[in-house]
Amino acid sequence: MGGDGTARRRMRAAALTLAGLIAGLGLARAADAIDVETTGALYPRDGRRDLTAEDRLRFPGAGVLWCRRPDGVPRKAAAAWLIGAPTLVMLNAHNFRNRQLETTRIVSDCYFQIGGRNYDFVADSLQLGVARDAERLHITDDWALLRLVQAAEAPTQPLPEAPPDLTTGDLTLPVTMVSPGGHGNYRGEASLETCTVRRVDPPTEGDTRRARHDCNDGYGGSGSGLFDEAGRMVAMQSASLSMNSRHAFDIEFHYGSALLIEGALLDALREAVRRPQPSP
């Protein structure tokens, strides 16, 4: 009897332990599900974290485009980068044009914020990446440059010395997505995530290539910078064409897209750095 009782107690303890492990696993899965539901992350795994002061030193030039609504209230629009010069800002063209290249915002309704200060743009300094005869806005010409009325008192992102040395086709390139404008599906004001570029498409508009990646993104994350392991900015986020799908990354389904800093964009940046600042 005593031996049987001991065996039963051991079996009961083991069963309780197993039940606890199963329950714990269930709670962990539930917590993951709750996290995804709460954040609205693009993929089930959300590796984003808040951008720190140390991160801003590692990735200088990270700023935010703010634009005023029709009632005059300013709203955060997207990420933007002080790059190459203290008056030069790089961002997405789709902040000012839709896919049909119709004007959606005017420059004078917007300003650039970096280091806790706001800076106005030179109203007529907008340079778009689209060709003059273009009829639509694409991923690889979705860039714009603007000048600030006065030099920003903040460190600038260095101008790339050369285009990214990346082969066209499938690859595995670890990158860090830096999102100073945050994301609509992220709780914080700004975020950082380690993720991977999975494919580089052949060059299209402006002899620029599109990089497809598995970085989480959300509304407001446009213009985020993708940095390689050496800390070089290699691409700028343009679009995630399937938002908040909550599926594991599938390159044929998600198409997280950034444009590499090369071709016409890199040429324009170099020319803008050489060119004197226009008068306000």
Side-chain angles (χ1 to χ4, degrees), residues 17-202:
T17 300
L18 179 59
L21 289 172
I22 292 172
L25 180 60
L27 287 172
R29 287 176 176 171
D32 288 344
I34 289 170
D35 183 62
V36 171
E37 291 296 327
T38 300
T39 63
L42 184 58
Y43 310 119
R45 177 191 171 278
D46 187 356
R48 291 173 292 182
R49 63 168 176 79
D50 290 351
L51 198 64
T52 66
E54 183 180 350
D55 294 328
R56 292 183 182 277
L57 292 176
R58 290 172 55 211
F59 306 106
V64 180
L65 174 72
W66 287 77
C67 295
R68 299 174 185 85
R69 303 185 314 196
D71 61 5
V73 176
R75 295 187 65 180
K76 185 163 58 173
W81 293 87
L82 188 69
I83 184 168
T87 59
L88 182 61
V89 174
M90 178 181 72
L91 66 173
N92 290 124
H94 74 242
N95 290 305
F96 302 97
R97 301 289 188 271
N98 62 20
R99 289 186 181 181
Q100 291 72 42
L101 295 178
E102 299 164 333
T103 300
T104 54
R105 291 191 182 107
I106 58 174
V107 172
S108 58
D109 284 340
C110 304
Y111 58 88
F112 179 64
Q113 184 180 87
I114 190 170
R117 295 189 60 180
N118 300 333
Y119 298 89
D120 291 329
F121 296 113
V122 176
D124 63 354
S125 66
L126 181 64
Q127 179 180 353
L128 297 171
V130 294
R132 290 185 179 181
D133 59 349
E135 297 180 354
R136 292 181 64 84
L137 184 64
H138 309 89
I139 296 294
T140 50
D141 57 14
D142 185 20
W143 59 266
L145 302 181
L146 277 167
R147 284 287 187 177
L148 300 177
V149 171
Q150 65 180 95
E153 296 181 9
T156 63
Q157 175 61 214
L159 196 66
E161 295 180 0
D165 184 19
L166 300 176
T167 58
T168 297
D170 293 335
L171 73 164
T172 301
L173 176 71
V175 292
T176 299
M177 175 180 266
V178 180
S179 305
H183 302 272
N185 58 8
Y186 181 74
R187 66 186 182 279
E189 291 295 316
S191 72
L192 177 149
E193 181 182 23
T194 301
C195 38
T196 306
V197 170
R198 303 294 191 91
R199 181 182 296 171
V200 173
D201 290 350

